[in-house]
Amino acid sequence: MSKIERFEELEIWKIAVTIAVDVYLICDSEPMKSDWGMKDQIRRAACSMSDNIAEGFEYNNNPDFIRFLNYAKGSSGEFRNKLTILNQAGKIDDIVFEDLYSRSKEFSSKTKSLIDYLKKFEANKKKKTLKI
C-alpha cells in the first residue's frame, strides 16, 4: 500500500463526502426542508463521517487516526439509524433510503478494514521495535 499524503486521497473520505452532499440536497426539499430538528441531526451525522476522517488524518499518527476512524464509523451507524427513522416515518422514500443506507454500510465496512490494517501495522511496528 502506497503512503497516503492527504486525507482527500482516501476512498472512504470520498464516499463520506458524497453521502453528506446528497443529504444536504435531500434536506433542501420537502418534506425534510421543514423538519428543522431532524434535518440538522442527519446533516451533522452525515458530515461527521468525513469530518472525523479529515481531523484524525491531520494528527499525523496512526493511533489518533484509528481513534477518529472509529468515531467516523460510529457516525455512520448514527446516520443509518436516522435514515431508518426517516424512511419509516415517510420522510424519505425507499429508493433514497436504500441508496444512502447501502453507501453508509460500504463506508463502515471499508473504514473497518482500514482500522484493522492500521492496527496490524502498529502491532508489527511494536514487534520490530522490541526486537532491536
Side-chain angles (χ1 to χ4, degrees):
M1 180 181 269
S2 63
K3 183 167 168 65
I4 302 290
E5 299 293 331
R6 302 175 324 125
F7 65 83
E8 293 93 343
E9 297 173 44
L10 292 165
E11 182 183 1
I12 58 171
W13 179 82
K14 292 174 185 176
I15 293 168
V17 167
T18 62
I19 290 170
V21 168
D22 287 348
V23 167
Y24 261 82
L25 295 173
I26 290 164
C27 288
D28 284 343
S29 302
E30 292 297 346
M32 288 299 302
K33 188 175 184 176
S34 56
D35 189 344
W36 300 103
M38 184 59 95
K39 179 173 69 172
D40 180 59
Q41 288 182 16
I42 198 160
R43 280 179 171 175
R44 287 175 185 264
C47 289
S48 182
M49 294 187 297
S50 60
D51 287 347
N52 278 300
I53 292 167
E55 184 174 355
F57 187 91
E58 291 296 320
Y59 281 106
N60 205 32
N61 70 73
N62 285 338
D64 282 332
F65 189 34
I66 291 166
R67 183 167 43 98
F68 278 87
L69 287 171
N70 277 305
Y71 297 154
K73 191 172 177 317
S75 293
S76 181
E78 178 186 3
F79 175 73
R80 288 193 310 277
N81 181 65
K82 290 185 184 336
L83 276 179
T84 301
I85 292 167
L86 289 169
N87 181 249
Q88 291 181 11
K91 297 283 188 171
I92 58 172
D93 67 35
D94 291 341
I95 294 170
V96 170
F97 169 78
E98 290 296 335
D99 175 55
L100 289 171
Y101 193 91
S102 68
R103 287 193 283 151
S104 179
K105 287 289 288 180
E106 176 189 16
F107 170 84
S108 285
S109 176
K110 289 182 177 188
T111 301
K112 175 73 167 100
S113 294
L114 180 56
I115 291 166
D116 291 345
Y117 171 83
L118 292 172
K119 283 182 176 179
K120 185 176 180 180
F121 178 84
E122 287 299 306
N124 288 337
K125 195 164 72 172
K126 285 181 183 177
K127 284 180 188 175
K128 288 178 185 176
T129 304
L130 293 174
K131 288 182 182 179
I132 295 176

